[in-house]
Amino acid sequence: MSENDDDDLATLREQTSHGDRLDEAPAAEQRQAFVDAIVAELEAIERGDQQKTVSVWDGPLAAFIRALEDNPDRLEEVGHALQRELDLDEHDVERSEVLRLALRLGFKKAAPEAFEAVREAAQQQATKGL
């Protein structure tokens, strides 16, 4: 066996090795607890106990969004770019949608597993009672 074969074998082992079931169980439980927390928040929003709005205190970002609003062509350009990045059909965008898409894209890129919990929670909440 050559040195390259040893390197290839080591790489293959790394790629295919997974933690044992004892390692995976707590991770699955933590993920489900997070999904359940999101479902609870979605239900609170639906009941009117929580607001749908999210506030961010950021001067440069606020200036950027206001400038986009003052330049509708730019706003649309940015919105369409976000839609493409998220594999969504392009349609007219407003300030709120640009902000929502930017947050979603940021979370999806930076913390894809955590953000996937949002999708799972939304599906669970939408299918409750069926």
Side-chain angles (χ1 to χ4, degrees), residues 9-21:
L9 188 57
T11 300
L12 182 60
R13 277 191 194 119
E14 281 182 38
Q15 291 172 348
T16 58
S17 70
H18 302 290
D20 62 27
R21 290 184 186 166

Side-chain angles (χ1 to χ4, degrees), residues 57-92:
W57 292 87
D58 187 309
L61 184 57
F64 173 65
I65 295 301
R66 286 188 195 112
L68 287 176
E69 285 182 297
D70 291 341
N71 295 277
D73 291 342
R74 268 294 152 107
L75 179 69
E76 189 170 296
E77 181 183 306
V78 169
H80 288 170
L82 289 164
Q83 290 168 338
R84 284 191 301 274
E85 281 292 318
L86 290 165
D87 294 323
L88 301 172
D89 293 334
E90 288 185 23
H91 58 275
D92 293 341

Side-chain angles (χ1 to χ4, degrees), residues 26-114:
E29 289 173 9
Q30 288 175 346
R31 176 179 170 75
Q32 188 57 49
F34 186 55
V35 169
D36 292 345
I38 296 169
V39 169
E41 290 297 329
L42 287 169
E43 290 171 348
I45 290 168
E46 191 174 277
R47 287 190 310 270
D49 296 339
Q50 292 288 350
Q51 294 183 7
K52 287 184 180 182
T53 60
V54 175
S55 298
V56 178
W57 292 87
D58 187 309
L61 184 57
F64 173 65
I65 295 301
R66 286 188 195 112
L68 287 176
E69 285 182 297
D70 291 341
N71 295 277
D73 291 342
R74 268 294 152 107
L75 179 69
E76 189 170 296
E77 181 183 306
V78 169
H80 288 170
L82 289 164
Q83 290 168 338
R84 284 191 301 274
E85 281 292 318
L86 290 165
D87 294 323
L88 301 172
D89 293 334
E90 288 185 23
H91 58 275
D92 293 341
V93 293
E94 296 176 352
R95 170 191 176 169
S96 180
E97 176 143 14
V98 168
L99 290 167
R100 185 174 61 246
L101 294 174
L103 280 171
R104 287 181 182 193
L105 181 59
F107 288 130
K108 183 178 179 182
K109 295 273 184 179
E113 288 183 24

